[in-house]
Amino acid sequence: MAPNLDSFFKTVDDNAEHFIDRLRKAVAIPSVSAEDERRPDVVKMGMFLKEQLEGLGANMEARPLGKQPGKEHLELPPAIVGRYPAKKDDSKRTILVYGHYDVQPANLSDGWNTEPFKLSVDDKGRMYGRGSTDDKGPVLGWVNVIESHQKAGIDFPVNLLMCFEGMEEYGSEGLDDFIIAECKPGKFFADADAVCISDNYWLGTEKPCLTYGLRGCSYYSIEISGPGQDLHSGVFGGTAQEPMTDLVRVMGSLVDTHGKIQIPGIYELVAPLSKEEQGLYENIAFTMDNLYESLGSTTGIFDNKEETLMGRWRYPSLSLHGVEGAFSAPGAKTVIPAKVVGKFSIRTVPDMEPHEVDSLVYSYVQEQFKKLGSKNKMKCHLQHSGKWWVASPKHWNFTAAAKAVEKVWHVQPDLTREGGSIPVTLTFEQATGKNVLLLPMGSSTDAAHSINEKLDRRNYVEGIKLLGTYLNFVAEEPME
Amino acid sequence: MAPNLDSFFKTVDDNAEHFIDRLRKAVAIPSVSAEDERRPDVVKMGMFLKEQLEGLGANMEARPLGKQPGKEHLELPPAIVGRYPAKKDDSKRTILVYGHYDVQPANLSDGWNTEPFKLSVDDKGRMYGRGSTDDKGPVLGWVNVIESHQKAGIDFPVNLLMCFEGMEEYGSEGLDDFIIAECKPGKFFADADAVCISDNYWLGTEKPCLTYGLRGCSYYSIEISGPGQDLHSGVFGGTAQEPMTDLVRVMGSLVDTHGKIQIPGIYELVAPLSKEEQGLYENIAFTMDNLYESLGSTTGIFDNKEETLMGRWRYPSLSLHGVEGAFSAPGAKTVIPAKVVGKFSIRTVPDMEPHEVDSLVYSYVQEQFKKLGSKNKMKCHLQHSGKWWVASPKHWNFTAAAKAVEKVWHVQPDLTREGGSIPVTLTFEQATGKNVLLLPMGSSTDAAHSINEKLDRRNYVEGIKLLGTYLNFVAEEPME
């Protein structure tokens, strides 16, 4: 039986302007975590969030996370944690939700059409502003859900645990240890029955999705060095072995134009494609035009949607990101760089174990370098790695969300994976041992991290309904 | 008959401290041509030079070169031209000398051991300071030669034409046209019988050299583009053809670790090595240890001096300088660059015609890119090129200089070429139609363009003698 949500929906609609105003206040706080001088604004934004929730009766705490590693003069912004209702109701499920209150940097001069820290709503309901969709809209979504239940006079269906951080756009400094500690018995997040994260996007612009998988990422450096210092190519060209020559040859051996990774053994680590899985892709609301629009070109690897989606979600990829230490400015400089560091990463998928990938990478790169017969020195190392994540979309956490999508959007959601990684997802899964759901609010055109970031009014308002409806269905779903 | 130069030498020795003081005053003027805000200092340095020479009775002019291209708010520093004696003596040869009065940027914080714009003489006679060797020492050398002749009461042996520029370290903006115009009949440099440039260095630290050849340089870009904007490798890795993948593959096909250029036809353009030339290299004062010391490593291509010198002077080389548009900072960024520009250059030698090199490069790069089967777009173009230069070392200009070296340094100079290019050399040769000699004052350890640039007191003082003695022998050499 679907819960009767009519009065909740009506309350959300009636309060839409109030909720947009709340988002406007949040966007006006330039909580840029990457800029040291904005740190007070990040903290201010955390406090704003805490006060909004306290005003609704939630039990909130601002938890210090210590000094920022490498910038010890800076205090990390606090984790804002909370519980609503303030006192736990043991008869209800407990859902832990995560979001972040910091944003990417933004300056009008970057090419924004409107002031980035002023919410600007156009006549089509596009609400422009830094953080509108990533992730202030979704975070305030939870606040608005609580307020709407109160105003509608509906009993809140679950115990809600909240974890909002202020360093997501700068590597979530300090958060992993905090989550792991707070998921231990007796701690703040100990009794979570499932986790919901609203910090990603629909695959397109029209159809909602639930996301149950993310690729991992293993990021490597290849450092090649020889001369004691940068050399003049006139004086030394033709007499010195050049590190850059070696580097491009090794980098050029890693992957081909068609995305095929050249490192032997990599594809053997990938979980085979079952017939059942193969069938899933054709029903996903995605077209090659969607790809071309987001690429800004037609330079895709595959010419059909199924292979494209599999290339993004369920197969590994290798990208060459750049070279550190070589000449990288416009113009012409006749330098022979003494030490160059090539950067590349592999997006990993089930069942690739990161340490197995590392071994294959190291031995292949060594072998390719050895083939060159160079006197230069080569070192290959892992800069960082994060594992892939795949959840069961049959869990009640997902079925509740699917029903909520149908209720709000009148369509069955696509079950999607994503090519990128959201490391906190895996942390929550491992720390709680519970199912984690990614439940996006915004759409593929929201331009998170870019200029002119926006959230559509429709996605915000219906998104509030979606989050609230999800919690109501969560309360009803049978155990798996 | 060698001229009797004893009183000239004694006068130079007696005035050494005065000449060092002149260099001190020059070094104190931070005439950095690359820094807009230093432009008044560059002009000041030009005026200092003009006044010093006027004080000795030379006929000097500061010639405007117009606005700086691309920075039209900046006036180019003038070319300081002059004639000494002020009135031409038609019975004497006319020698045109060139130098530059601007310097490379320098800041104490770059790692200098002493204030870069304060001449600091240590107890071994090393005179540290920006511009000491490049090129204020040699330029003032000519001033000191004039003064020493006056003080010694010796008739000046030649008509000296002077051309000193203030933009050499920033591409000699505006100079080529000026030289070409002033070499026309009736113009300032019209009656030069030969040219002497003192703006390079000995091959080592002990043995002087005369330089009769320079390699040319053709500098290319390969631009590969696909997506409309930079992409996130999580979202697009495995679905988009990546320009960086294509670029490293094309760049990796240009040259191998051992410096062998892979472009078919390049080596066919190179003048064959005659038996006579082959014999020249073994007598040059140069050792593999000299190479290793300047490399700061033992990562040379060849293990013997002859091949190393030929690799530097008489064979082409190809260096990969870097990539514009890719990730080049420290750390890890998971970007797929949308447009990358690879930079490389080929050092050219006789008889490579630059336009023939261009054709070979373009068609090879096209072919390599085509092999990839990529949907991305590729453009290869020439950024700039300067031709190689080789003079006849049997000309009286060189034999006079060789005799001067023997007289001052008591050793026969090495006849050397250089791997780098000094484009003005070719301009003077072409504009005057006369022999051009490179007559260095400083040694290989002077660190021009680096931190702790210096000129040894010995090289400065004996260098003044060398320049003066050269002019005296020039006056005596028979026609070729």
Side-chain angles (χ1 to χ4, degrees):
Chain A
M1 179 200 83
N4 184 337
L5 292 157
D6 292 347
S7 63
F8 169 66
F9 286 7
K10 184 171 184 308
T11 309
V12 173
D13 285 329
D14 290 348
N15 285 274
E17 287 308 317
H18 166 57
F19 297 150
I20 290 167
D21 196 54
R22 180 172 275 147
L23 181 59
R24 182 173 288 116
K25 284 178 185 147
V27 166
I29 304 171
S31 52
V32 179
S33 49
E35 295 172 359
D36 297 359
E37 67 278 14
R38 299 281 207 189
R39 188 58 48 89
D41 289 311
V42 183
V43 174
K44 184 177 168 190
M45 178 64 208
M47 293 305 121
F48 171 81
L49 187 57
K50 180 167 175 278
E51 285 155 19
Q52 294 287 308
L53 285 157
E54 281 171 343
L56 296 168
N59 172 18
M60 303 303 296
E61 296 178 23
R63 293 290 197 86
L65 294 176
K67 306 282 184 195
Q68 182 165 338
K71 293 187 176 178
E72 276 73 15
H73 60 290
L74 279 179
E75 199 74 31
L76 288 166
I80 304 295
V81 301
R83 171 183 283 284
Y84 182 84
K87 195 171 147 30
K88 184 180 180 190
D89 179 343
D90 284 324
S91 70
K92 292 174 180 168
R93 280 183 168 144
T94 299
I95 298 297
L96 169 57
V97 301
Y98 161 90
H100 63 91
Y101 61 83
D102 63 320
V103 298
Q104 284 275 319
N107 292 293
L108 189 58
S109 61
D110 297 339
W112 283 73
N113 294 326
T114 59
E115 197 61 57
F117 295 107
K118 181 167 179 271
L119 194 76
S120 305
V121 188
D122 74 7
D123 54 8
K124 290 191 171 139
R126 289 180 292 227
M127 307 191 293
Y128 292 95
R130 175 56 89 217
S132 54
T133 195
D134 182 18
D135 186 33
K136 290 180 175 178
V139 164
L140 295 182
W142 298 113
V143 181
N144 301 333
V145 164
I146 293 172
E147 185 173 1
S148 299
H149 277 79
Q150 292 181 358
K151 287 191 170 165
I154 308 172
D155 184 41
F156 205 72
V158 299
N159 297 298
L160 194 69
L161 288 173
M162 292 165 272
C163 177
F164 301 126
E165 69 155 321
M167 284 298 277
E168 200 270 349
E169 304 294 6
Y170 203 73
S172 291
E173 298 273 17
L175 193 73
D176 270 12
D177 290 346
F178 175 77
I179 291 170
I180 291 163
E182 293 299 325
C183 287
K184 295 228 161 98
K187 295 295 203 165
F188 208 92
F189 303 147
D191 55 344
D193 294 310
V195 180
C196 177
I197 298 175
S198 186
D199 187 23
N200 67 317
Y201 308 93
W202 297 355
L203 195 56
T205 56
E206 292 307 316
K207 194 170 175 198
C209 63
L210 310 180
T211 304
Y212 69 98
L214 297 167
R215 291 197 292 188
C217 182
S218 296
Y219 200 109
Y220 302 93
S221 292
I222 303 172
E223 177 187 306
I224 300 185
S225 60
Q229 66 289 323
D230 284 1
L231 304 172
H232 187 291
S233 68
V235 182
F236 292 98
T239 70
Q241 294 192 341
E242 305 186 12
M244 187 67 180
T245 300
D246 294 347
L247 182 67
V248 295
R249 295 207 144 206
V250 173
M251 289 178 85
S253 73
L254 294 170
V255 63
D256 74 10
T257 292
H258 312 290
K260 181 95 183 161
I261 300 173
Q262 307 290 300
I263 303 168
I266 286 286
Y267 291 105
E268 281 81 343
L269 301 179
V270 177
L273 179 68
S274 69
K275 202 138 198 161
E276 187 197 350
E277 186 193 332
Q278 195 160 17
L280 293 176
Y281 297 100
E282 71 178 86
N283 296 320
I284 303 281
F286 183 81
T287 66
M288 290 310 288
D289 284 339
N290 291 152
L291 177 72
Y292 299 151
E293 193 184 339
S294 54
L295 271 184
S297 70
T298 57
T299 56
I301 292 175
F302 305 105
D303 61 4
N304 63 82
K305 129 180 149 179
E306 290 79 4
E307 281 184 292
T308 297
L309 289 175
M310 287 191 274
R312 178 181 295 190
W313 293 349
R314 70 101 57 223
Y315 283 117
S317 63
L318 191 156
S319 295
L320 305 174
H321 305 298
V323 178
E324 178 186 344
F327 174 55
S328 61
K333 188 178 173 187
T334 54
V335 67
I336 297 174
K339 183 171 97 174
V340 284
V341 185
K343 316 273 178 87
F344 70 98
S345 66
I346 298 179
R347 297 284 164 175
T348 55
V349 296
D351 300 316
M352 300 168 79
E353 287 298 328
H355 70 273
E356 290 181 314
V357 176
D358 296 348
S359 299
L360 292 174
V361 166
Y362 297 153
S363 63
Y364 180 75
V365 168
Q366 276 294 355
E367 186 192 314
Q368 294 301 308
F369 180 70
K370 205 171 165 189
K371 268 196 209 163
L372 301 178
S374 176
K375 295 175 187 167
N376 292 317
K377 297 249 175 306
M378 191 280 292
K379 284 191 277 190
C380 179
H381 78 274
L382 179 75
Q383 280 194 249
H384 63 68
S385 88
K387 207 179 167 182
W388 45 266
W389 163 78
V390 178
S392 165
K394 294 177 180 163
H395 188 275
W396 56 257
N397 197 27
F398 277 83
T399 54
K403 288 177 186 170
V405 169
E406 281 206 67
K407 180 83 184 165
V408 174
W409 290 101
H410 315 293
V411 63
Q412 281 198 328
D414 280 334
L415 282 169
T416 66
R417 287 156 69 167
E418 289 213 353
S421 45
I422 309 177
V424 77
T425 310
L426 195 65
T427 306
F428 275 116
E429 182 186 83
Q430 291 174 338
T432 62
K434 299 296 162 71
N435 182 280
V436 181
L437 157 73
L438 301 188
L439 181 58
M441 176 182 272
S443 82
S444 65
T445 55
D446 283 358
H449 292 214
S450 292
I451 55 170
N452 301 320
E453 176 182 345
K454 59 92 178 161
L455 176 62
D456 291 336
R457 181 194 162 103
R458 183 183 74 147
N459 281 58
Y460 185 52
V461 175
E462 302 306 301
I464 297 164
K465 294 179 190 168
L466 176 68
L467 298 181
T469 306
Y470 154 72
L471 295 180
N472 279 282
F473 278 106
V474 155
E476 297 210 332
E477 283 296 288
M479 296 294 280
E480 233 181 325
Chain B
M1 180 200 83
N4 183 338
L5 291 158
D6 292 347
S7 63
F8 169 65
F9 285 7
K10 184 170 182 309
T11 309
V12 173
D13 285 329
D14 290 348
N15 286 275
E17 287 308 317
H18 167 57
F19 296 151
I20 290 168
D21 195 55
R22 179 172 275 147
L23 181 58
R24 182 173 289 116
K25 284 178 184 146
V27 166
I29 304 171
S31 53
V32 179
S33 49
E35 295 171 358
D36 296 0
E37 67 279 14
R38 299 282 206 189
R39 188 56 50 89
D41 289 310
V42 182
V43 174
K44 185 177 166 189
M45 178 64 209
M47 292 305 121
F48 170 82
L49 186 58
K50 180 166 175 279
E51 285 155 20
Q52 294 287 307
L53 285 157
E54 281 171 342
L56 295 169
N59 172 17
M60 303 302 299
E61 297 178 22
R63 293 291 198 86
L65 295 176
K67 306 282 184 198
Q68 181 166 337
K71 292 186 176 178
E72 277 71 15
H73 60 290
L74 279 178
E75 199 72 33
L76 288 167
I80 304 296
V81 301
R83 171 184 283 284
Y84 180 84
K87 194 171 151 28
K88 185 180 179 191
D89 179 342
D90 285 325
S91 71
K92 292 174 181 168
R93 281 183 167 144
T94 299
I95 299 297
L96 169 57
V97 301
Y98 161 88
H100 64 90
Y101 62 82
D102 63 319
V103 298
Q104 284 275 319
N107 291 294
L108 189 59
S109 61
D110 296 340
W112 283 73
N113 294 325
T114 59
E115 197 59 59
F117 295 107
K118 182 166 176 272
L119 193 75
S120 305
V121 188
D122 74 7
D123 54 9
K124 290 191 172 139
R126 289 180 291 226
M127 307 191 294
Y128 291 96
R130 175 55 88 219
S132 53
T133 196
D134 182 18
D135 187 33
K136 291 179 175 178
V139 164
L140 295 182
W142 299 112
V143 181
N144 300 333
V145 163
I146 294 172
E147 185 173 0
S148 299
H149 277 78
Q150 291 180 356
K151 287 191 170 166
I154 307 171
D155 184 42
F156 205 72
V158 300
N159 297 298
L160 194 69
L161 287 172
M162 292 166 274
C163 178
F164 301 124
E165 70 155 320
M167 284 299 277
E168 199 271 347
E169 304 293 5
Y170 203 73
S172 290
E173 298 274 17
L175 194 72
D176 270 13
D177 290 347
F178 176 76
I179 291 171
I180 291 162
E182 292 300 325
C183 287
K184 296 227 160 97
K187 294 295 202 166
F188 208 92
F189 303 146
D191 55 344
D193 295 309
V195 180
C196 177
I197 298 175
S198 187
D199 187 23
N200 67 317
Y201 308 93
W202 298 354
L203 195 56
T205 56
E206 293 307 315
K207 196 171 174 196
C209 63
L210 309 179
T211 304
Y212 67 99
L214 297 167
R215 293 196 290 189
C217 183
S218 296
Y219 199 109
Y220 302 93
S221 292
I222 303 172
E223 177 187 307
I224 301 185
S225 60
Q229 67 290 322
D230 284 0
L231 304 173
H232 187 291
S233 67
V235 182
F236 292 98
T239 69
Q241 295 192 340
E242 304 186 13
M244 186 67 181
T245 299
D246 294 348
L247 182 66
V248 296
R249 295 206 145 207
V250 174
M251 289 178 85
S253 73
L254 295 169
V255 62
D256 74 10
T257 292
H258 312 290
K260 181 94 183 161
I261 299 172
Q262 307 290 300
I263 303 168
I266 286 286
Y267 290 105
E268 280 81 343
L269 300 178
V270 177
L273 179 68
S274 69
K275 201 136 199 165
E276 187 197 351
E277 186 194 332
Q278 194 160 16
L280 293 176
Y281 297 100
E282 72 178 84
N283 296 320
I284 304 282
F286 183 79
T287 66
M288 291 308 289
D289 284 339
N290 291 153
L291 176 72
Y292 298 151
E293 194 184 339
S294 53
L295 271 183
S297 70
T298 57
T299 56
I301 292 175
F302 304 106
D303 62 4
N304 64 81
K305 127 180 152 180
E306 290 79 4
E307 282 185 290
T308 298
L309 289 174
M310 287 190 275
R312 178 181 297 189
W313 294 347
R314 70 101 57 222
Y315 283 117
S317 62
L318 190 156
S319 295
L320 306 174
H321 306 298
V323 178
E324 179 185 344
F327 174 55
S328 62
K333 188 177 174 187
T334 54
V335 66
I336 297 174
K339 183 172 98 173
V340 285
V341 185
K343 316 273 179 87
F344 70 97
S345 66
I346 298 178
R347 296 285 163 174
T348 56
V349 296
D351 299 320
M352 300 167 78
E353 287 298 329
H355 70 273
E356 290 181 315
V357 176
D358 296 348
S359 300
L360 292 174
V361 166
Y362 297 154
S363 62
Y364 180 75
V365 168
Q366 278 292 358
E367 186 192 314
Q368 294 301 308
F369 179 71
K370 203 170 168 191
K371 268 196 210 166
L372 302 178
S374 175
K375 295 175 187 168
N376 292 317
K377 297 246 177 305
M378 194 280 293
K379 284 191 276 190
C380 179
H381 77 277
L382 180 74
Q383 280 196 248
H384 64 68
S385 87
K387 206 179 169 183
W388 45 266
W389 162 78
V390 178
S392 165
K394 292 178 182 163
H395 188 274
W396 55 258
N397 198 27
F398 277 83
T399 53
K403 287 178 187 170
V405 169
E406 280 206 67
K407 180 82 183 166
V408 173
W409 290 101
H410 314 294
V411 63
Q412 282 199 329
D414 280 334
L415 282 169
T416 66
R417 287 156 69 168
E418 290 212 353
S421 47
I422 308 178
V424 76
T425 310
L426 194 66
T427 307
F428 275 116
E429 183 186 82
Q430 292 174 338
T432 63
K434 299 296 162 71
N435 182 279
V436 181
L437 157 73
L438 301 188
L439 181 57
M441 176 182 272
S443 82
S444 65
T445 54
D446 283 358
H449 293 213
S450 293
I451 55 169
N452 302 319
E453 176 182 346
K454 58 93 176 162
L455 175 62
D456 291 336
R457 181 194 162 104
R458 184 183 71 147
N459 281 58
Y460 185 51
V461 176
E462 301 308 301
I464 297 164
K465 293 179 191 169
L466 177 67
L467 298 181
T469 305
Y470 155 71
L471 295 180
N472 278 281
F473 278 107
V474 155
E476 297 209 332
E477 284 295 290
M479 296 294 280
E480 234 179 324

